[in-house]
Amino acid sequence: MKRKEIEQLEAAGIISAEQAAAIAEHFHLNGTAGRQWLVWSMSSLAGVLILGGIIMLISANWEAIPDGVKMAVAMALLLGAWVACANIHRTYPLVAEGMGLIGGGMWLACIALYGQIFQLQNPLAEGCLLFFAGVCVLPFLMKQRLLMLGVAITSVVLLCALLDNAESWLTLRPWVNTSEEVASALSLLFLAWWLFAEHCRGAKSFLREYRWLSIPALLAYLILLQIPLLYGEMGFAESRMQLGLTLAGPLMLLVAKPRRIAWGQWLCIVAMLGLALPLGQLLSEIGEGMEPIGIAVGLLLGGGLMAVGHRALRLEWLNFGTFMVLSAGIALVANVLDSLTQSGVVLIVAGCVLLGLVLCLERQRRKLAHAIRKKSC
C-alpha cells in the first residue's frame, strides 16, 4: 500500500486520521527509514574518516613519536570510542554504530602497533584470534551492523588462518589437512552464520537487524558447493574427520530449526543443504562422467529451494533457488562447449529449458509476492 492511497482513503472518509497514521506506521510509510539510513550512512562514513585521519596523522609523525606515547594514544582512542558508543547507543543508536566501527578499527590498530613496537613475528592466526575475541561480544550487547559484518568476515579469515597455520600451537592442521576437509569446515561455518541470521529474523530485540547476514552466508555456501557438485573439482576425503564434518552439517541444521518454519519445510531444507555438498564430493570422487548427475542434482536443489520458498512465503529462498538453477544452467553449457563444441542442437535445447525455467520462476515470484502482500494485509 502506498502513502497516496492511504491519504485518498482518509479524504473519502473511509478511515479516520488515527487509522491512517496507524496504517502508515505499520507499512513504514512515514519516511523515517530513509532518514535513518542517511544518518547511519553518514555516521559510519564519519567513523571511517576519523579513523583514517588518525592513521594518517600518526603515520606522518611516526618516527618522532615515542613508542609509549603511540601505545597510550591508541589505547585512549580505543577506550574513548567504546565508552562513547556505550553511552549514546540508546539515545543516538546510529551515531553509536559509527563509534563502534571506530572502536573496532582502533582495536585492530592496537594489535598491529603492539606487534610493531615489540617486533613480534606472530602468525596471522594469533593476531586474528585476538582481534576476533575483542570485538565479537560487542554486536551482541548493542546494535552494531557494520561491526557484526566485520565479525562474520573475521571468523572466516580466522578459520582459514587456523587451517593454514602450522607454525604455532594455534592450528587445526593436524586434524583438518586436506582440501576436502577444509571445504567441509568452511561450509559448516557458512551454515552456522546462516542459521544465526535465520534466528535473528524472529528475534524481538535489536538482533533482528542482523537478519540480512543470511544472504551473504547462504550465497557463500551455495557457491562453495558448486565446485564439487557442478564441476567435479573436489573429491571426498576418506577420513574420520571428513565423515564427522559431513554428518555435522545435517545435524546442525536439524537441531537449530528456526521457530517460524514448519517442520516439514525445514526437513526439506535440511536434506537439500545438508546433503548437497557431500553428494557433490562423492560424485567428484567417482571421476569423469558424473558431471551431468551433479548438474541434475543442482537443478533439483534449485527447484527444491524455490518450492520450499513458495510454501514458506520466503522470497529470499526463491531467489536462492533461482541462483542455483542458473548456475546449473551455466555449468551445463560449459560442459557442452567442452565436449560437444559442434553440437548446436544441445545448446538450443539447454536454452529452451532455461527459458521455460525463467518463465516458471517469474510466475512463481508473482504468486509469492501476491501471497506475501495478502498475508501482510
Side-chain angles (χ1 to χ4, degrees):
M1 180 173 286
K2 298 180 180 179
R3 179 76 182 189
K4 185 177 181 181
E5 295 174 347
I6 299 176
E7 294 175 352
Q8 291 174 350
L9 292 174
E10 182 183 358
I14 300 176
I15 59 176
S16 64
E18 292 78 10
Q19 291 173 327
I23 294 173
E25 182 67 25
H26 176 74
F27 288 102
H28 306 287
L29 300 177
N30 289 326
T32 57
R35 290 194 294 271
Q36 287 182 353
W37 174 258
L38 178 62
V39 174
W40 180 72
S41 301
M42 292 183 66
S43 62
S44 300
L45 178 60
V48 173
L49 292 175
I50 293 173
L51 186 61
I54 292 172
I55 294 175
M56 289 182 180
L57 286 175
I58 294 177
S59 300
N61 303 278
W62 186 257
E63 298 297 334
I65 302 175
D67 291 340
V69 176
K70 294 176 186 176
M71 203 67 208
V73 171
M75 293 297 293
L77 291 173
L78 167 67
L79 183 62
W82 279 355
V83 168
C85 179
N87 287 333
I88 66 175
H89 80 279
R90 296 186 183 276
T91 54
Y92 300 99
L94 300 178
V95 179
E97 291 192 55
M99 298 305 297
L101 182 64
I102 295 177
M106 288 309 304
W107 174 237
L108 180 62
C110 287
I111 295 174
L113 181 61
Y114 183 82
Q116 189 273 336
I117 291 176
F118 294 96
Q119 299 295 319
L120 301 178
Q121 301 295 327
N122 299 75
L124 173 63
E126 296 183 6
C128 191
L129 178 61
L130 186 60
F131 173 75
F132 181 80
V135 299
C136 66
V137 178
L138 189 60
F140 293 94
L141 300 177
M142 62 191 75
K143 186 172 67 175
Q144 292 286 326
R145 285 168 288 188
L146 281 179
L147 197 58
M148 177 57 82
L149 177 61
V151 170
I153 295 175
T154 304
S155 68
V156 177
V157 176
L158 175 60
L159 179 59
C160 294
L162 293 175
L163 295 173
D164 184 64
N165 178 33
E167 302 175 2
S168 70
W169 61 273
L170 197 61
T171 178
L172 296 177
R173 180 67 67 84
W175 301 278
V176 182
N177 51 25
T178 66
S179 59
E180 294 83 3
E181 294 170 349
V182 170
S184 298
L186 283 173
S187 70
L188 286 179
L189 181 59
F190 293 144
L191 285 178
W193 276 110
W194 178 66
L195 288 171
F196 167 74
E198 286 294 325
H199 282 277
C200 288
R201 187 179 300 276
K204 296 182 180 179
S205 62
F206 66 88
L207 292 176
R208 182 177 172 81
E209 299 294 332
Y210 302 146
R211 64 189 184 276
W212 58 271
L213 283 171
S214 63
I215 298 177
L218 190 55
L219 187 62
Y221 174 77
L222 293 177
I223 292 174
L224 179 63
L225 71 84
Q226 289 179 24
I227 300 174
L229 186 63
L230 303 182
Y231 300 100
E233 297 295 335
M234 187 184 301
F236 188 88
E238 298 180 1
S239 64
R240 293 182 179 180
M241 178 57 67
Q242 176 69 67
L243 181 60
L245 292 172
T246 300
L247 295 176
L251 182 61
M252 181 175 64
L253 288 167
L254 192 62
V255 172
K257 184 189 84 69
R259 293 182 180 180
R260 296 189 176 186
I261 303 175
W263 266 109
Q265 299 165 357
W266 187 249
L267 288 176
C268 294
I269 292 292
V270 172
M272 290 186 294
L273 297 183
L275 301 178
L277 182 62
L279 181 58
Q281 290 176 327
L282 288 174
L283 292 175
S284 180
E285 186 68 24
I286 293 174
E288 296 183 0
M290 293 292 105
E291 289 85 358
I293 299 178
I295 293 174
V297 173
L299 288 171
L300 290 175
L301 173 59
L305 287 174
M306 292 166 62
V308 176
H310 186 269
R311 279 192 165 189
L313 299 180
R314 293 291 300 275
L315 191 61
E316 178 183 321
W317 294 358
L318 191 68
N319 292 333
F320 284 130
T322 307
F323 173 72
M324 279 305 301
V325 170
L326 293 177
S327 299
I330 294 173
L332 175 63
V333 172
N335 287 327
V336 167
L337 290 176
D338 184 55
S339 58
L340 301 172
T341 307
Q342 306 300 324
S343 180
V345 176
V346 178
L347 291 177
I348 293 173
V349 172
C352 291
V353 171
L354 284 177
L355 181 60
L357 288 172
V358 169
L359 293 175
C360 178
L361 168 66
E362 181 59 24
R363 182 178 301 174
Q364 294 298 322
R365 283 175 61 89
R366 291 182 179 182
K367 289 182 179 179
L368 179 58
H370 177 71
I372 293 175
R373 286 197 299 268
K374 187 176 180 181
K375 185 178 179 181
S376 63
C377 293

